[in-house]
Structures are given as structure tokens and as C-alpha cells.
Amino acid sequence: ITEGLANTQRHRDDDEKSIRYDELVVAEEELFTGVNEYDCSPFRLTDVYTTPHLPVTECRLVHYNAAGQTKAIVDYVFNGSRVKLFVPSENCFVMFALGNIRCPQPSPNQAAINRGQARPAEPFGDASKRHSRMTVQQRQVEIVCTGVTQGGVMTGDLFVGQGAQRRNYCAELVASGLATVDQRKIDYGEAPQVL
């Protein structure tokens, strides 16, 4: 009870009680008075993906650009190049797409099939998604944001690993044959030479 792992069960006056019941009630009351002395405000998260407001996302982009590289944790992988990130410094979730590359479409999930919104899978789409899940899901990464789509999805580069093991994930996907460089970026000369 003093650790906050249990509560005392309240009894009526005519019920049989433990001989230590009064001591337990006092210990529980001391615990709650100690808790009330501190600010125990609930932990709040902002999910930019479920409430996509483009101005809010653009403001975050300006902040991330000023910060340079931002640390994040990959929460979910949608396909090889699109992930949901948790940014601890901002206490928010953001959608992030790898810039300059395109990964093939994986097989649709059952919910998309039931809604009638299923797009057919492309070759190597499932392999690309599986590789991304094995490599980055639930891992700490660094992102460099370069833009925001009209849907509020941030785009940019994602780096995996730390120190000497740090690598550009876009280049890794292209080198393994699981992604292609976006042809429009090549035509306009926006694609980096490393890709």
C-alpha cells in the first residue's frame, strides 16, 4: 500500500475487519496526501496524423529545419518509405515519407479490402515493407525534414544507427533494390548524387 501498488477495501462498520485495517487505511491516506502535494498532470501527446492541419505541420517543419537533425522513434511502418514517427522532444506523432525515392505498394490489409479501397500489390512491395519493419520499426532514428505534402506528411531523409554505424536509409533501400529514385526528382535535378 505504501508503494501505491494496492488499495484497502472499504468496509462497513458492522463488517469483520483485519486487526491491522486501521493501520492500512492510515498508510493509504498518507500516500494520497503525498501525491496531492505534487503536480501530477497527465502526459499529453499531439497526433498530427489524426488531426492533419497543414499550418500546424508547416510550423513544425520550420522548427525541425531550424533544429537540423531531429531524433525520433519509428512507431509504425505503412510501407517501405512511409512511417509514423514519435518525436519525444515535441511529444507528438508525425507522418513521415522518405524524400526522393518511391517504394512499391505492398499487399493491402484486410480493413482496406473490406472498405473497397484496396490497391493491388506491386512486385517487391511486401519485401520492401518487411525490410523497413525489420530495420527501423521501434528504433530511434534521426530525421532531416525538407518539405510537407498537401496532406500534412513531412518528407525528408531518415538516418538509422549511431556513430560509425549511421547510414542514410534512402540510400540503403535503393542499394538493396527495394526502392527507386523518383523520376521527377531526377528530371529536375533535385535528387542527391548519393542516390
Side-chain angles (χ1 to χ4, degrees):
I1 289 178
T2 58
E3 296 292 323
L5 302 175
N7 295 348
T8 55
Q9 184 174 356
R10 302 294 176 196
H11 292 284
R12 292 188 301 235
D13 291 334
D14 59 340
D15 283 345
E16 251 184 68
K17 300 176 208 161
S18 167
I19 55 173
R20 299 185 64 199
Y21 178 74
D22 294 330
E23 295 173 22
L24 297 173
V25 170
V26 169
E28 185 177 25
E29 288 174 359
E30 287 175 0
L31 175 71
F32 285 125
T33 53
V35 168
N36 291 336
E37 293 174 5
Y38 302 104
D39 179 28
C40 293
S41 58
F43 185 68
R44 303 224 187 266
L45 289 174
T46 304
D47 196 348
V48 179
Y49 174 63
T50 57
T51 56
H53 298 294
L54 193 57
V56 172
T57 308
E58 287 175 345
C59 289
R60 290 190 189 281
L61 174 68
V62 170
H63 175 72
Y64 294 150
N65 282 344
Q69 295 177 352
T70 305
K71 292 185 186 275
I73 298 170
V74 177
D75 186 56
Y76 188 77
V77 174
F78 292 99
N79 67 17
S81 63
R82 191 177 177 116
V83 295
K84 183 177 181 181
L85 298 174
F86 171 64
V87 182
S89 63
E90 298 289 319
N91 284 339
C92 69
F93 288 100
V94 295
M95 288 294 295
F96 188 80
L98 299 175
N100 304 319
I101 67 169
R102 184 189 176 284
C103 285
Q105 179 70 28
S107 298
N109 60 14
Q110 190 61 40
I113 293 171
N114 292 343
R115 288 191 309 259
Q117 298 175 342
R119 290 185 282 170
E122 297 175 359
F124 301 105
D126 291 331
S128 175
K129 183 177 180 178
R130 185 172 38 257
H131 177 73
S132 292
R133 281 188 171 173
M134 298 298 286
T135 308
V136 298
Q137 188 166 7
Q138 299 300 320
R139 289 189 171 82
Q140 184 171 346
V141 296
E142 291 182 0
I143 57 171
V144 177
C145 297
T146 56
V148 178
T149 65
Q150 290 181 349
V153 178
M154 291 189 179
T155 60
D157 293 323
L158 187 135
F159 296 93
V160 182
Q162 296 176 352
Q165 302 295 325
R166 188 171 183 266
R167 60 197 187 276
N168 186 338
Y169 191 62
C170 296
E172 181 179 323
L173 282 173
V174 172
S176 62
L178 298 173
T180 57
V181 180
D182 191 4
Q183 187 61 41
R184 292 173 295 182
K185 300 290 184 178
I186 295 173
D187 294 343
Y188 293 118
E190 296 174 3
Q193 292 297 317
V194 70
L195 296 179

